[in-house]
Amino acid sequence: QVQIVESGGGLVQPGGSLRLSCKASGSIDSAYYERWYRQAPGKQREWVAQITKDGTTSYGDSVKGRFIISRNNAENTVYLHMNNLRSEDTANYLCNINIPYQPTAWGQGTQVTVSS
């Protein structure tokens, strides 16, 4: 099965921006979708964004208008551009990829901390 490594997290001031990367160990051309989730301590995992095989994107209400998901199949990488970050965006951000005939793949996550 494909393996995933997220990167790009860090400490950001409120109002700042970050780009997260989700790099897969193999081709993601056949994936039905790629998703980003986030999870903060003591809270449920929250769906953030999705991009489908045909390129259709969708977002959770809490990030709509601020985050953009994109994909580069040639690089086997999914991105999450995060803008106008708020303290409530602080969480571990996880990438999820659904490839036919494989278990749903998850990365270990990358930590985003928004604080002044």
Side-chain angles (χ1 to χ4, degrees):
Q1 63 179 2
V2 69
Q3 297 185 55
I4 294 168
V5 178
E6 300 99 334
S7 62
L11 176 63
V12 191
Q13 295 189 79
S17 299
L18 280 177
R19 187 186 74 167
L20 306 184
S21 298
C22 169
K23 188 169 182 63
S25 62
S27 176
I28 60 172
D29 289 352
S30 64
Y32 289 128
Y33 61 76
E34 294 93 10
R35 292 170 176 166
W36 285 96
Y37 290 80
R38 65 187 183 186
Q39 188 165 27
K43 295 186 177 181
Q44 297 293 317
R45 183 179 294 171
E46 178 186 17
W47 170 70
V48 173
Q50 174 182 279
I51 184 166
T52 62
K53 189 174 184 179
D54 69 356
T56 301
T57 59
S58 55
Y59 302 91
D61 289 342
S62 62
V63 307
K64 193 172 298 182
R66 298 188 296 121
F67 291 9
I68 299 173
I69 187 171
S70 63
R71 178 182 63 221
N72 187 330
N73 283 348
E75 298 181 354
N76 300 327
T77 303
V78 182
Y79 301 99
L80 185 68
H81 297 260
M82 307 186 298
N83 304 300
N84 193 24
L85 286 161
R86 307 165 180 167
S87 60
E88 54 263 41
D89 294 319
T90 296
N92 188 41
Y93 283 73
L94 301 113
C95 183
N96 167 241
I97 298 177
N98 181 216
I99 297 174
Y101 313 112
Q102 295 187 25
T104 300
W106 292 88
Q108 296 184 51
T110 185
Q111 179 68 34
V112 173
T113 302
V114 185
S115 177
S116 59

